Amino acid sequence: MAARLDRRVAARRGRRPAPPLRLTRRGRVVLVVGMALLSLGGFWLGTRAVSHAAVQVVVPSTAGLPWVEVREGDTLWAIADALSGGDDPGTVVDEIKRLNGLPDSIIHPGTRVYVPRDTAAAVR
């Protein structure tokens, strides 16, 4: 009934009513593909934002741990070898890196490096 009324009003004004919006098959495909691409782009940007979020390295408490001051020419491996007492220094290197929050094995002269408590007898 409302459609008839719209036609009558439009006929009196001398124009036709606007036809309802219709999409062709191609139009629907383009619309769906466009929405999928926008969604995938949003997901991709979201994962990029998460990967750039602030990462904080948590260093365990070093209170009361023995430490060694790094001298010129010292390496983390040499310090761990001196502390390991003949055992594999690799595990001591990993523990020193964990205790000091080191991302790699680079150390600088004058730096205080905390060492595991069980190697305290070998601290120079």
Side-chain angles (χ1 to χ4, degrees), residues 72-119:
E72 189 70 36
D74 280 349
T75 63
L76 201 55
W77 188 266
I79 293 171
D81 191 32
L83 296 173
S84 66
D87 294 335
D88 179 30
T91 56
V92 178
V93 168
D94 292 338
E95 183 66 17
I96 291 172
K97 285 170 48 176
R98 186 187 69 78
L99 285 174
N100 293 281
L102 299 173
D104 49 32
S105 297
I106 297 174
I107 54 176
H108 302 284
T111 304
R112 181 180 285 190
V113 176
Y114 292 96
V115 296
R117 191 176 305 280
D118 57 343
T119 60

Side-chain angles (χ1 to χ4, degrees), residues 32-51:
V32 168
V33 169
M35 293 301 292
L37 288 175
L38 283 173
S39 297
L40 289 174
F43 289 137
W44 180 75
L45 287 175
T47 59
R48 300 282 297 175
V50 168
S51 68

